């Protein structure tokens, strides 16, 4: 069964450094997402991406964050200048196009644990 | 902006059916009910979704009441590996984001 893969599984970075989290979505999927989960808290939506542009973003997704699909297979999340509170699990997800009346499930990767020291 | 209400925790005996309830009394006609689960700190795993009719797949069954204000996820023969947090989510047709609540922590006991 195809799956979403994320690398690295664990990243440690110093406060103020830039970090890039990488994801390879399922190959025929067209919608891409990033979520995060701070330890002990709920899974929070960050951003959705379709047709090479952001389709929706949450209030968490401020100017420090950016997303990119650089080469047609990878989907990346960049945090420009990390803060201690960015420490969390970051999950990538993808889905097929739902059509106007339908729905298609999101398929999630197993996440990257980001630790900011 | 939680649209669903779930009990925070439930226990189930191994081999028995696990019935996880969800209330979504403000659901609209074009909103689907989705169920996901998260085992330990892995990524959320899709289980099943439905609009009006009951649905069944190899993992679970989804029973939606006729007024669509509540639903039940049924794991027919729970195993220890089904211990996880289960999330019930409502999602508008054609919309693409998914918003998670706190879910129900299901513990399957031997």
């Amino acid at each position: 069964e195809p799956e979403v893969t994320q690398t690295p599984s664990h990243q440690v970075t110093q406060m103020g450094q830039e970090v890039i989290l990488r994801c390879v979505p399922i190959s025929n999927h067209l919608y891409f997402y990033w979520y995060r989960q701070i330890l002990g808290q709920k899974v929070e939506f960050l951003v959705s991406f379709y047709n090479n542009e952001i389709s929706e973003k949450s209030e968490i997704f401020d100017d420090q964050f950016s997303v990119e699909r650089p080469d047609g297979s990878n989907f990346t999340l960049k945090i420009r200048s990390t803060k201690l509170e960015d420490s969390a699990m970051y999950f990538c997800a993808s889905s097929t196009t739902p059509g106007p009346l339908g729905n298609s499930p999101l398929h999630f990767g197993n996440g990257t644990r980001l630790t900011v020291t | 902006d939680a649209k669903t209400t779930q009990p925070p925790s439930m226990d189930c005996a191994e081999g028995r059916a696990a019935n996880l309830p969800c209330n979504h009394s403000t659901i609209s006609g074009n909103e689907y009910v989705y169920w996901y689960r998260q085992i330990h700190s892995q990524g959320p795993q899709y289980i099943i979704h439905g609009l009006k009719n009951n649905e069944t797949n190899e993992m679970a069954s989804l029973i939606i009441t006729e007024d669509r204000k509540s639903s039940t996820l049924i794991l027919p023969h729970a195993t220890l590996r089904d211990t996880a947090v289960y999330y019930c989510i409502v999602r508008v047709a054609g919309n693409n984001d998914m918003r998670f609540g706190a879910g129900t922590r299901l513990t399957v006991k031997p």
Side-chain angles (χ1 to χ4, degrees):
Chain A
E1 186 177 322
E3 57 182 30
V4 176
T5 57
Q6 292 186 242
T7 55
S9 57
H10 190 188
Q11 174 129 15
V12 181
T13 190
Q14 288 191 322
M15 195 168 52
Q17 294 296 303
E18 176 184 285
V19 66
I20 297 176
L21 309 182
R22 302 179 192 281
C23 168
V24 179
I26 295 172
S27 63
N28 65 336
H29 285 186
L30 299 176
Y31 287 84
F32 314 110
Y33 312 81
W34 284 101
Y35 285 75
R36 80 171 186 190
Q37 187 174 31
I38 295 170
L39 185 65
Q41 299 186 23
K42 64 182 183 181
V43 178
E44 300 175 291
F45 169 75
L46 292 178
V47 66
S48 59
F49 189 88
Y50 171 69
N51 201 25
N52 280 321
E53 58 184 30
I54 290 173
S55 48
E56 191 167 353
K57 60 182 181 180
S58 72
E59 60 278 4
I60 302 169
F61 193 88
D62 61 21
D63 293 344
Q64 292 282 75
F65 292 90
S66 62
V67 290
E68 192 178 34
R69 188 156 161 80
D71 58 11
S73 62
N74 290 287
F75 178 52
T76 62
L77 174 70
K78 182 192 292 186
I79 309 174
R80 201 183 330 275
S81 176
T82 50
K83 304 187 281 280
L84 294 177
E85 54 264 37
D86 293 327
S87 294
M89 284 289 289
Y90 287 81
F91 296 109
C92 173
S94 68
S95 68
T96 58
T97 178
L101 298 178
N103 252 213
S104 59
L106 275 63
H107 295 269
F108 286 80
N110 274 330
T112 293
R113 179 175 300 283
L114 177 65
T115 302
V116 182
T117 62
Chain B
D1 62 342
K3 291 190 169 187
T4 64
T5 305
Q6 299 179 253
S9 64
M10 291 181 64
D11 291 342
C12 177
E14 187 178 20
R16 305 298 292 268
N19 296 281
L20 293 99
C22 180
N23 285 320
H24 30 79
S25 57
T26 61
I27 194 169
S28 302
N30 65 345
E31 288 182 316
Y32 284 74
V33 180
Y34 273 77
W35 283 84
Y36 277 76
R37 72 181 182 182
Q38 189 175 26
I39 297 173
H40 195 46
S41 55
Q42 295 177 23
Q45 179 188 22
Y46 166 74
I47 301 173
I48 200 167
H49 75 284
L51 183 63
K52 289 190 287 191
N53 300 322
N54 297 338
E55 302 287 345
T56 294
N57 63 20
E58 65 279 2
M59 287 183 71
S61 295
L62 173 60
I63 308 299
I64 303 174
T65 58
E66 196 168 330
D67 63 7
R68 300 186 69 241
K69 292 185 176 183
S70 65
S71 61
T72 301
L73 178 75
I74 301 173
L75 308 178
H77 305 287
T79 71
L80 299 179
R81 287 177 295 180
D82 292 321
T83 292
V85 178
Y86 287 77
Y87 300 99
C88 170
I89 302 166
V90 296
R91 184 183 181 213
V92 176
N95 196 352
N96 275 299
D97 66 65
M98 190 86 69
R99 307 292 172 124
F100 289 79
T104 295
R105 181 172 296 278
L106 175 69
T107 302
V108 181
K109 298 186 172 181

